[in-house]
Amino acid sequence: MSVDLSKTYYSGFFGLNNGIIRNLIVDGNISITCPVDNGSFNNFGGFCGYNHGTVLNCIFKGQIVSTAVENLACYIAGVVGFNDDGSIELCDNYGNISSDFNVSGICGYNSDGIIDECDNYGTITGKRDATGITEMNNRSKIINCINYGEIIADMVSGEYYPSASGIVGNNYQSVIENCINEGEIVGPFGETGGIIGILDGDASEMTGCTYG
Protein backbone atom coordinates (compact mmCIF):
# COMPACT_ATOMS: atom_id res chain seq x y z
CA MET A 1 0.00 0.00 0.00
CA SER A 2 1.22 3.50 -0.83
CA VAL A 3 0.23 6.62 1.13
CA ASP A 4 0.81 10.24 0.07
CA LEU A 5 0.50 12.49 3.14
CA SER A 6 0.43 15.60 0.96
CA LYS A 7 -3.23 14.74 0.31
CA THR A 8 -4.20 14.31 3.98
CA TYR A 9 -2.91 15.31 7.40
CA TYR A 10 -3.41 11.82 8.87
CA SER A 11 -3.71 8.32 7.52
CA GLY A 12 -3.73 4.67 8.58
CA PHE A 13 -6.10 1.69 8.47
CA PHE A 14 -8.43 4.35 9.90
CA GLY A 15 -7.64 7.99 9.29
CA LEU A 16 -9.35 9.47 12.37
CA ASN A 17 -10.54 7.59 15.45
CA ASN A 18 -13.01 9.13 17.92
CA GLY A 19 -14.28 5.78 19.19
CA ILE A 20 -12.72 2.42 20.05
CA ILE A 21 -10.46 0.33 17.83
CA ARG A 22 -9.91 -3.07 19.42
CA ASN A 23 -8.63 -6.59 18.77
CA LEU A 24 -7.24 -5.99 15.27
CA ILE A 25 -4.09 -7.10 13.44
CA VAL A 26 -2.67 -5.10 10.52
CA ASP A 27 -0.05 -6.86 8.39
CA GLY A 28 1.50 -5.58 5.17
CA ASN A 29 4.13 -3.47 3.45
CA ILE A 30 3.41 0.25 3.44
CA SER A 31 5.21 3.02 1.56
CA ILE A 32 4.65 6.61 2.76
CA THR A 33 5.58 9.93 1.21
CA CYS A 34 5.64 12.98 3.50
CA PRO A 35 5.24 16.39 1.84
CA VAL A 36 7.47 19.42 2.18
CA ASP A 37 6.84 21.03 5.59
CA ASN A 38 3.50 22.82 5.27
CA GLY A 39 3.18 24.13 8.82
CA SER A 40 0.95 21.26 9.98
CA PHE A 41 1.51 17.80 11.40
CA ASN A 42 1.45 14.92 8.92
CA ASN A 43 0.82 11.63 10.70
CA PHE A 44 0.62 7.95 9.83
CA GLY A 45 -0.14 5.05 12.15
CA GLY A 46 -0.73 1.42 11.29
CA PHE A 47 -4.19 1.63 12.87
CA CYS A 48 -4.98 5.34 12.75
CA GLY A 49 -3.27 8.56 11.82
CA TYR A 50 -5.10 10.61 14.47
CA ASN A 51 -6.52 9.15 17.68
CA HIS A 52 -8.95 10.99 19.93
CA GLY A 53 -10.44 7.78 21.32
CA THR A 54 -9.06 4.38 22.36
CA VAL A 55 -6.88 1.86 20.54
CA LEU A 56 -6.96 -1.40 22.48
CA ASN A 57 -5.24 -4.78 22.05
CA CYS A 58 -4.03 -4.24 18.47
CA ILE A 59 -0.93 -5.64 16.74
CA PHE A 60 0.96 -4.20 13.78
CA LYS A 61 3.10 -6.49 11.63
CA GLY A 62 4.87 -5.92 8.35
CA GLN A 63 7.02 -3.03 7.21
CA ILE A 64 6.70 0.74 6.85
CA VAL A 65 9.08 2.83 4.75
CA SER A 66 8.61 6.60 4.78
CA THR A 67 10.39 9.21 2.70
CA ALA A 68 10.23 12.98 3.10
CA VAL A 69 11.74 15.99 1.40
CA GLU A 70 12.04 18.30 4.43
CA ASN A 71 9.33 17.89 7.04
CA LEU A 72 10.16 18.05 10.74
CA ALA A 73 6.46 17.50 11.63
CA CYS A 74 6.01 14.17 9.86
CA TYR A 75 5.35 11.47 12.49
CA ILE A 76 5.28 7.79 11.50
CA ALA A 77 4.50 4.91 13.88
CA GLY A 78 3.28 1.33 13.94
CA VAL A 79 0.05 1.96 15.85
CA VAL A 80 -0.95 5.67 16.04
CA GLY A 81 0.50 8.71 14.30
CA PHE A 82 -0.87 11.45 16.61
CA ASN A 83 -2.54 10.60 19.92
CA ASP A 84 -4.60 13.62 21.03
CA ASP A 85 -6.13 13.12 24.49
CA GLY A 86 -6.61 9.46 23.61
CA SER A 87 -5.46 6.14 25.00
CA ILE A 88 -3.37 3.36 23.48
CA GLU A 89 -3.49 0.19 25.54
CA LEU A 90 -2.13 -3.36 25.19
CA CYS A 91 -0.83 -2.73 21.67
CA ASP A 92 2.32 -4.20 20.10
CA ASN A 93 4.45 -3.39 17.09
CA TYR A 94 6.37 -6.21 15.40
CA GLY A 95 7.03 -4.31 12.18
CA ASN A 96 10.30 -2.84 10.99
CA ILE A 97 9.76 0.88 10.41
CA SER A 98 12.06 3.43 8.78
CA SER A 99 11.62 7.12 8.04
CA ASP A 100 13.61 10.08 6.80
CA PHE A 101 12.36 12.00 9.84
CA ASN A 102 10.44 11.08 13.04
CA VAL A 103 9.64 7.41 13.57
CA SER A 104 8.40 5.33 16.52
CA GLY A 105 7.24 1.81 17.21
CA ILE A 106 3.92 2.65 18.89
CA CYS A 107 2.99 6.35 18.60
CA GLY A 108 4.52 9.29 16.77
CA TYR A 109 3.26 12.20 18.90
CA ASN A 110 1.50 11.67 22.25
CA SER A 111 -0.31 14.85 23.39
CA ASP A 112 -2.36 14.79 26.62
CA GLY A 113 -2.69 11.05 26.11
CA ILE A 114 -1.97 7.73 27.80
CA ILE A 115 0.07 4.81 26.47
CA ASP A 116 -0.26 1.77 28.71
CA GLU A 117 1.26 -1.73 28.41
CA CYS A 118 2.45 -1.35 24.83
CA ASP A 119 5.57 -3.07 23.51
CA ASN A 120 7.81 -2.59 20.49
CA TYR A 121 9.63 -5.56 18.97
CA GLY A 122 10.51 -4.08 15.57
CA THR A 123 13.65 -2.36 14.34
CA ILE A 124 13.04 1.40 14.20
CA THR A 125 15.30 3.47 11.96
CA GLY A 126 15.11 7.25 11.52
CA LYS A 127 17.32 9.83 9.85
CA ARG A 128 16.04 12.40 12.34
CA ASP A 129 14.65 10.80 15.53
CA ALA A 130 13.91 7.15 16.29
CA THR A 131 12.14 5.81 19.38
CA GLY A 132 10.71 2.51 20.57
CA ILE A 133 7.42 3.79 22.05
CA THR A 134 6.78 7.49 21.20
CA GLU A 135 8.91 10.25 19.75
CA MET A 136 7.13 13.19 21.45
CA ASN A 137 5.47 12.82 24.86
CA ASN A 138 3.74 16.14 25.58
CA ARG A 139 1.87 16.53 28.91
CA SER A 140 1.11 12.82 28.74
CA LYS A 141 1.69 9.54 30.54
CA ILE A 142 3.46 6.34 29.50
CA ILE A 143 3.28 3.38 31.85
CA ASN A 144 4.32 -0.28 31.78
CA CYS A 145 5.79 -0.20 28.26
CA ILE A 146 8.76 -2.20 26.95
CA ASN A 147 11.04 -1.77 23.96
CA TYR A 148 12.76 -4.91 22.70
CA GLY A 149 13.69 -3.63 19.24
CA GLU A 150 16.88 -2.08 17.92
CA ILE A 151 16.58 1.72 17.64
CA ILE A 152 18.79 3.47 15.09
CA ALA A 153 19.08 7.23 14.45
CA ASP A 154 21.24 8.38 11.53
CA MET A 155 22.43 11.88 10.79
CA VAL A 156 20.33 13.80 8.29
CA SER A 157 22.12 16.36 6.12
CA GLY A 158 22.46 19.77 7.74
CA GLU A 159 22.97 20.86 11.33
CA TYR A 160 20.41 18.68 13.11
CA TYR A 161 21.61 16.02 15.55
CA PRO A 162 19.22 13.07 15.85
CA SER A 163 17.79 11.42 18.95
CA ALA A 164 17.65 7.66 19.58
CA SER A 165 15.87 6.27 22.63
CA GLY A 166 14.14 3.16 23.87
CA ILE A 167 10.92 4.64 25.26
CA VAL A 168 10.55 8.41 24.60
CA GLY A 169 12.45 10.79 22.35
CA ASN A 170 11.36 14.11 23.88
CA ASN A 171 9.53 14.05 27.22
CA TYR A 172 7.93 17.44 27.93
CA GLN A 173 6.10 17.89 31.26
CA SER A 174 5.09 14.23 31.15
CA VAL A 175 5.26 11.10 33.28
CA ILE A 176 6.99 7.81 32.46
CA GLU A 177 6.45 4.95 34.90
CA ASN A 178 7.65 1.34 35.08
CA CYS A 179 9.03 1.19 31.54
CA ILE A 180 11.87 -1.05 30.34
CA ASN A 181 14.26 -0.90 27.43
CA GLU A 182 15.84 -4.19 26.36
CA GLY A 183 16.82 -3.12 22.84
CA GLU A 184 20.09 -1.83 21.44
CA ILE A 185 20.18 1.95 20.98
CA VAL A 186 22.34 3.31 18.16
CA GLY A 187 22.69 7.09 17.93
CA PRO A 188 25.99 8.51 16.70
CA PHE A 189 25.18 12.11 17.62
CA GLY A 190 22.79 14.10 19.76
CA GLU A 191 20.48 13.00 22.53
CA THR A 192 20.66 9.22 22.91
CA GLY A 193 19.24 7.37 25.89
CA GLY A 194 18.06 3.95 26.98
CA ILE A 195 14.75 5.36 28.24
CA ILE A 196 14.57 9.07 27.23
CA GLY A 197 16.45 11.16 24.69
CA ILE A 198 15.42 14.57 26.13
CA LEU A 199 13.80 15.20 29.53
CA ASP A 200 12.24 18.65 29.35
CA GLY A 201 10.05 20.71 31.68
CA ASP A 202 9.81 20.98 35.47
CA ALA A 203 6.76 18.67 35.58
CA SER A 204 8.53 15.77 33.85
CA GLU A 205 8.89 12.61 35.94
CA MET A 206 10.45 9.19 35.40
CA THR A 207 10.02 6.47 38.02
CA GLY A 208 10.56 2.73 38.15
CA CYS A 209 12.21 2.48 34.73
CA THR A 210 15.12 0.19 33.80
CA TYR A 211 17.52 -0.10 30.90
CA GLY A 212 18.48 -3.75 30.45
Side-chain angles (χ1 to χ4, degrees), residues 191-202:
E191 296 85 5
T192 299
I195 303 296
I196 301 174
I198 304 170
L199 184 64
D200 193 11
D202 293 339

Side-chain angles (χ1 to χ4, degrees), residues 8-162:
T8 179
Y9 291 129
Y10 39 80
S11 183
F13 191 81
F14 301 95
L16 169 66
N17 176 49
N18 281 318
I20 300 175
I21 301 171
R22 61 157 62 100
N23 303 333
L24 294 179
I25 297 174
V26 171
D27 189 353
N29 295 326
I30 302 168
S31 175
I32 302 169
T33 301
C34 285
V36 175
D37 196 340
N38 55 14
S40 299
F41 290 107
N42 298 100
N43 311 289
F44 179 90
F47 291 91
C48 65
Y50 187 94
N51 180 52
H52 193 60
T54 299
V55 182
L56 175 65
N57 194 35
C58 292
I59 297 173
F60 179 80
K61 299 180 179 180
Q63 178 174 288
I64 299 175
V65 177
S66 170
T67 58
V69 179
E70 181 69 28
N71 190 340
L72 303 184
C74 186
Y75 289 88
I76 308 298
V79 179
V80 171
F82 195 104
N83 188 43
D84 182 12
D85 195 25
S87 65
I88 307 168
E89 304 171 36
L90 298 168
C91 294
D92 295 333
N93 171 61
Y94 288 88
N96 296 328
I97 308 174
S98 63
S99 173
D100 284 349
F101 287 92
N102 305 295
V103 60
S104 306
I106 301 297
C107 175
Y109 195 114
N110 187 32
S111 179
D112 298 295
I114 296 175
I115 302 175
D116 186 9
E117 292 192 67
C118 295
D119 299 337
N120 173 64
Y121 296 86
T123 298
I124 309 299
T125 306
K127 290 186 178 179
R128 186 176 189 266
D129 294 332
T131 309
I133 303 299
T134 187
E135 167 50 33
M136 183 68 192
N137 198 37
N138 180 41
R139 298 184 176 92
S140 299
K141 191 171 186 178
I142 297 179
I143 54 177
N144 305 319
C145 293
I146 305 175
N147 173 62
Y148 296 99
E150 183 177 17
I151 310 299
I152 305 168
D154 291 327
M155 183 66 177
V156 70
S157 61
E159 298 299 321
Y160 185 81
Y161 291 93

